[in-house]
Amino acid sequence: MTATGAKILVIDDEAQIRKLLRVTLTAHGFETAEAATGQDGLLQAAMFRPDLIVLDLGLPDLTGMEVLDGIREWSNVPIIILTAQDQEPDKVAALDRGADDYVTKPFGMGEFMARMRVALRHIAKAPDEPVLKLGQLVIDLAKRSVELHGEKLKLTPTEYDLLKVLGVNAGRVMTHKQLLKQVWGGQQYESDSQYLRVYVGHLRKKIETDPARPQYILTEPGIGYRFAWQEN
Protein backbone atom coordinates (compact mmCIF):
# COMPACT_ATOMS: atom_id res chain seq x y z
CA MET A 1 0.00 0.00 0.00
CA THR A 2 1.19 3.51 -0.79
CA ALA A 3 0.36 6.35 1.54
CA THR A 4 -1.39 8.37 -1.15
CA GLY A 5 -4.94 7.17 -1.60
CA ALA A 6 -5.13 5.43 1.76
CA LYS A 7 -8.39 5.72 3.69
CA ILE A 8 -8.14 7.53 7.03
CA LEU A 9 -10.85 7.57 9.70
CA VAL A 10 -10.70 10.40 12.26
CA ILE A 11 -12.61 9.78 15.51
CA ASP A 12 -12.56 13.02 17.51
CA ASP A 13 -15.26 15.15 19.11
CA GLU A 14 -13.44 18.44 18.38
CA ALA A 15 -14.78 19.88 15.14
CA GLN A 16 -11.67 22.02 14.61
CA ILE A 17 -9.37 18.99 14.85
CA ARG A 18 -11.52 17.03 12.40
CA LYS A 19 -11.54 19.96 9.95
CA LEU A 20 -7.76 20.45 10.23
CA LEU A 21 -7.10 16.78 9.55
CA ARG A 22 -9.70 16.54 6.78
CA VAL A 23 -8.27 19.53 4.90
CA THR A 24 -4.65 18.44 5.33
CA LEU A 25 -5.19 14.77 4.54
CA THR A 26 -7.35 15.51 1.50
CA ALA A 27 -4.69 17.88 0.20
CA HIS A 28 -2.17 15.03 0.44
CA GLY A 29 -4.36 12.64 -1.54
CA PHE A 30 -5.96 10.68 1.29
CA GLU A 31 -9.61 9.70 1.47
CA THR A 32 -11.14 10.61 4.83
CA ALA A 33 -14.12 9.84 7.01
CA GLU A 34 -15.05 11.37 10.36
CA ALA A 35 -16.82 10.47 13.58
CA ALA A 36 -17.55 12.70 16.57
CA THR A 37 -18.51 9.93 18.99
CA GLY A 38 -17.19 6.52 19.93
CA GLN A 39 -20.32 4.69 18.76
CA ASP A 40 -20.21 6.40 15.37
CA GLY A 41 -16.47 5.68 15.21
CA LEU A 42 -17.06 1.96 15.67
CA LEU A 43 -19.74 2.04 12.97
CA GLN A 44 -17.52 3.98 10.55
CA ALA A 45 -14.60 1.60 11.21
CA ALA A 46 -16.80 -1.31 10.12
CA MET A 47 -18.39 0.41 7.12
CA PHE A 48 -15.58 2.65 5.80
CA ARG A 49 -12.86 -0.01 6.32
CA PRO A 50 -10.05 2.53 6.81
CA ASP A 51 -6.37 1.83 6.29
CA LEU A 52 -5.57 3.87 9.41
CA ILE A 53 -7.58 5.31 12.31
CA VAL A 54 -6.84 8.48 14.27
CA LEU A 55 -8.54 8.09 17.66
CA ASP A 56 -9.07 10.72 20.37
CA LEU A 57 -9.14 9.32 23.91
CA GLY A 58 -11.60 11.94 25.14
CA LEU A 59 -14.96 11.16 23.53
CA PRO A 60 -18.44 12.18 24.75
CA ASP A 61 -20.01 8.70 24.96
CA LEU A 62 -17.53 5.82 24.99
CA THR A 63 -13.96 6.18 26.18
CA GLY A 64 -11.20 6.01 23.61
CA MET A 65 -10.04 2.80 25.30
CA GLU A 66 -13.44 1.22 24.75
CA VAL A 67 -13.36 2.17 21.08
CA LEU A 68 -9.80 0.81 20.79
CA ASP A 69 -10.82 -2.47 22.41
CA GLY A 70 -13.87 -2.73 20.17
CA ILE A 71 -11.86 -2.27 16.99
CA ARG A 72 -9.08 -4.62 18.12
CA GLU A 73 -11.66 -7.41 18.56
CA TRP A 74 -11.83 -7.78 14.78
CA SER A 75 -9.18 -5.59 13.11
CA ASN A 76 -5.43 -4.94 13.16
CA VAL A 77 -5.78 -1.61 11.35
CA PRO A 78 -3.10 0.89 12.51
CA ILE A 79 -4.45 3.21 15.19
CA ILE A 80 -2.81 6.50 16.18
CA ILE A 81 -4.00 7.90 19.49
CA LEU A 82 -4.60 11.62 20.02
CA THR A 83 -4.14 12.61 23.65
CA ALA A 84 -3.34 15.52 25.95
CA GLN A 85 0.25 15.93 27.08
CA ASP A 86 -0.45 15.12 30.73
CA GLN A 87 -2.09 11.75 30.13
CA GLU A 88 0.99 9.53 30.19
CA PRO A 89 -0.79 6.56 31.89
CA ASP A 90 -3.42 6.64 29.15
CA LYS A 91 -0.72 6.59 26.47
CA VAL A 92 0.87 3.50 28.03
CA ALA A 93 -2.47 1.75 28.47
CA ALA A 94 -3.50 2.48 24.88
CA LEU A 95 -0.21 1.21 23.45
CA ASP A 96 -0.32 -1.90 25.62
CA ARG A 97 -3.86 -2.57 24.37
CA GLY A 98 -2.92 -2.42 20.68
CA ALA A 99 -2.53 1.18 19.55
CA ASP A 100 0.37 1.75 17.16
CA ASP A 101 1.43 5.25 18.14
CA TYR A 102 0.28 8.41 19.86
CA VAL A 103 0.37 12.12 19.11
CA THR A 104 -0.08 14.72 21.85
CA LYS A 105 -2.33 17.76 21.55
CA PRO A 106 -1.49 20.38 20.42
CA PHE A 107 0.47 18.78 17.60
CA GLY A 108 2.37 19.82 14.50
CA MET A 109 1.05 18.54 11.18
CA GLY A 110 4.56 17.73 9.93
CA GLU A 111 5.22 15.29 12.78
CA PHE A 112 1.69 13.90 12.56
CA MET A 113 2.01 13.13 8.86
CA ALA A 114 5.38 11.47 9.45
CA ARG A 115 3.91 9.27 12.19
CA MET A 116 1.04 8.35 9.90
CA ARG A 117 3.33 7.40 7.01
CA VAL A 118 5.34 5.16 9.33
CA ALA A 119 2.18 3.39 10.52
CA LEU A 120 1.00 2.83 6.95
CA ARG A 121 4.41 1.52 5.84
CA HIS A 122 4.58 -0.82 8.79
CA ILE A 123 1.23 -2.48 8.08
CA ALA A 124 2.18 -2.86 4.40
CA LYS A 125 5.36 -4.81 5.15
CA ALA A 126 5.35 -8.55 4.65
CA PRO A 127 5.38 -10.23 8.09
CA ASP A 128 7.89 -12.81 6.93
CA GLU A 129 10.35 -10.33 5.44
CA PRO A 130 13.70 -12.09 6.04
CA VAL A 131 15.96 -9.02 6.06
CA LEU A 132 15.29 -5.67 7.70
CA LYS A 133 17.22 -2.74 6.21
CA LEU A 134 17.00 0.19 8.58
CA GLY A 135 19.35 2.89 7.42
CA GLN A 136 22.89 1.53 7.76
CA LEU A 137 21.67 -1.25 10.05
CA VAL A 138 20.77 -4.63 8.48
CA ILE A 139 19.07 -7.36 10.51
CA ASP A 140 18.95 -10.82 8.91
CA LEU A 141 16.09 -12.56 10.69
CA ALA A 142 16.84 -15.99 9.23
CA LYS A 143 20.53 -15.95 10.17
CA ARG A 144 20.02 -13.97 13.41
CA SER A 145 22.84 -11.66 12.33
CA VAL A 146 23.24 -7.90 12.37
CA GLU A 147 25.47 -5.67 10.25
CA LEU A 148 26.21 -1.96 10.66
CA HIS A 149 27.95 -0.09 7.84
CA GLY A 150 28.70 -3.50 6.28
CA GLU A 151 30.42 -4.89 9.39
CA LYS A 152 28.96 -7.71 11.43
CA LEU A 153 28.09 -6.87 15.03
CA LYS A 154 28.64 -9.20 17.95
CA LEU A 155 25.44 -9.31 19.98
CA THR A 156 24.37 -11.57 22.82
CA PRO A 157 21.17 -13.57 22.21
CA THR A 158 19.19 -11.21 24.43
CA GLU A 159 20.62 -8.11 22.75
CA TYR A 160 19.70 -9.57 19.35
CA ASP A 161 16.16 -10.44 20.48
CA LEU A 162 15.61 -6.93 21.80
CA LEU A 163 16.99 -5.33 18.63
CA LYS A 164 14.85 -7.64 16.51
CA VAL A 165 11.63 -6.66 18.29
CA LEU A 166 12.49 -2.98 18.02
CA GLY A 167 13.50 -3.35 14.36
CA VAL A 168 10.43 -5.32 13.30
CA ASN A 169 8.31 -2.62 14.92
CA ALA A 170 10.44 0.26 13.60
CA GLY A 171 8.67 3.58 13.93
CA ARG A 172 6.22 2.32 16.54
CA VAL A 173 6.35 3.12 20.22
CA MET A 174 6.99 -0.09 22.16
CA THR A 175 6.08 0.10 25.84
CA HIS A 176 8.26 -1.32 28.61
CA LYS A 177 5.67 -4.04 29.20
CA GLN A 178 5.51 -5.04 25.52
CA LEU A 179 9.29 -5.28 25.20
CA LEU A 180 9.77 -7.17 28.45
CA LYS A 181 7.07 -9.67 27.53
CA GLN A 182 8.30 -10.24 23.97
CA VAL A 183 12.01 -10.47 24.79
CA TRP A 184 12.08 -12.08 28.22
CA GLY A 185 8.62 -13.64 28.39
CA GLY A 186 6.73 -14.42 31.54
CA GLN A 187 4.81 -12.04 33.74
CA GLN A 188 7.59 -11.84 36.33
CA TYR A 189 9.54 -9.49 34.05
CA GLU A 190 6.71 -7.27 32.86
CA SER A 191 7.10 -4.65 35.58
CA ASP A 192 10.91 -4.64 35.80
CA SER A 193 12.11 -1.96 33.40
CA GLN A 194 15.65 -2.21 34.79
CA TYR A 195 16.25 -5.13 32.38
CA LEU A 196 15.40 -2.83 29.49
CA ARG A 197 17.57 0.05 30.64
CA VAL A 198 20.59 -2.24 30.94
CA TYR A 199 20.18 -3.92 27.55
CA VAL A 200 19.19 -0.77 25.70
CA GLY A 201 22.38 0.75 27.08
CA HIS A 202 24.37 -2.22 25.75
CA LEU A 203 22.76 -1.95 22.31
CA ARG A 204 23.34 1.78 22.07
CA LYS A 205 27.04 1.30 22.74
CA LYS A 206 27.20 -1.15 19.83
CA ILE A 207 25.02 0.53 17.20
CA GLU A 208 24.97 4.26 17.98
CA THR A 209 27.70 6.65 16.83
CA ASP A 210 27.13 8.57 20.07
CA PRO A 211 25.22 6.50 22.68
CA ALA A 212 24.41 9.68 24.60
CA ARG A 213 22.65 11.08 21.51
CA PRO A 214 21.00 8.00 20.00
CA GLN A 215 19.67 8.06 16.45
CA TYR A 216 18.28 4.52 16.33
CA ILE A 217 16.87 3.62 19.75
CA LEU A 218 14.97 6.62 21.07
CA THR A 219 13.55 6.88 24.58
CA GLU A 220 9.87 7.72 25.03
CA PRO A 221 10.04 9.02 28.64
CA GLY A 222 7.89 7.06 31.04
CA ILE A 223 6.52 4.88 28.23
CA GLY A 224 9.15 2.83 26.42
CA TYR A 225 11.29 3.03 23.29
CA ARG A 226 10.94 3.75 19.58
CA PHE A 227 13.29 2.51 16.86
CA ALA A 228 13.87 5.33 14.40
CA TRP A 229 16.17 5.76 11.44
CA GLN A 230 16.82 8.05 8.52
CA GLU A 231 15.74 6.50 5.22
CA ASN A 232 18.37 6.41 2.48
Side-chain angles (χ1 to χ4, degrees), residues 10-210:
V10 178
I11 307 175
D12 196 303
D13 65 335
E14 294 185 52
Q16 290 183 331
I17 294 292
R18 296 199 307 274
K19 180 179 180 180
L20 171 65
L21 292 176
R22 179 178 69 250
V23 171
T24 304
L25 293 174
T26 301
H28 283 80
F30 295 98
E31 182 180 351
T32 65
E34 303 172 22
T37 67
Q39 290 285 7
D40 190 29
L42 289 171
L43 180 63
Q44 291 281 358
M47 296 181 62
F48 184 59
R49 293 287 176 165
D51 299 305
L52 182 143
I53 295 174
V54 180
L55 173 63
D56 182 20
L57 289 182
L59 297 170
D61 51 350
L62 303 177
T63 68
M65 296 296 186
E66 289 173 324
V67 177
L68 173 62
D69 289 342
I71 294 171
R72 280 291 174 257
E73 287 180 358
W74 60 273
S75 174
N76 288 320
V77 60
I79 298 176
I80 296 179
I81 296 295
L82 284 182
T83 182
Q85 292 181 355
D86 59 351
Q87 294 179 318
E88 184 176 292
D90 287 340
K91 296 177 191 174
V92 175
L95 292 165
D96 280 340
R97 288 158 77 164
D100 293 76
D101 203 349
Y102 68 87
V103 174
T104 56
K105 295 180 179 180
F107 58 91
M109 283 307 303
E111 178 184 1
F112 176 82
M113 295 295 292
R115 297 282 186 94
M116 199 176 71
R117 286 192 296 268
V118 167
L120 288 170
R121 281 201 306 268
H122 183 77
I123 201 66
K125 287 182 179 178
D128 58 349
E129 187 175 359
V131 177
L132 298 178
K133 296 182 179 179
L134 306 168
Q136 297 299 315
L137 191 70
V138 179
I139 305 173
D140 190 317
L141 302 179
K143 297 179 180 178
R144 288 181 62 88
S145 66
V146 180
E147 292 185 359
L148 181 63
H149 299 292
E151 296 185 5
K152 190 171 182 178
L153 296 181
K154 293 183 179 180
L155 302 180
T156 68
T158 301
E159 289 170 354
Y160 170 81
D161 289 339
L162 177 57
L163 183 61
K164 173 186 174 182
V165 172
L166 288 167
V168 168
N169 293 282
R172 293 182 60 183
V173 179
M174 299 296 291
T175 66
H176 296 132
K177 182 178 179 180
Q178 289 172 326
L179 290 169
L180 287 164
K181 185 175 182 179
Q182 292 190 42
V183 177
W184 282 271
Q187 295 183 350
Q188 68 269 28
Y189 292 109
E190 288 187 10
S191 61
D192 195 344
S193 58
Q194 179 62 25
Y195 285 98
L196 277 178
R197 285 193 292 271
V198 170
Y199 279 93
V200 166
H202 291 169
L203 279 177
R204 281 175 171 164
K205 289 179 181 178
K206 294 182 178 182
I207 71 173
E208 302 284 3
T209 302
D210 181 358

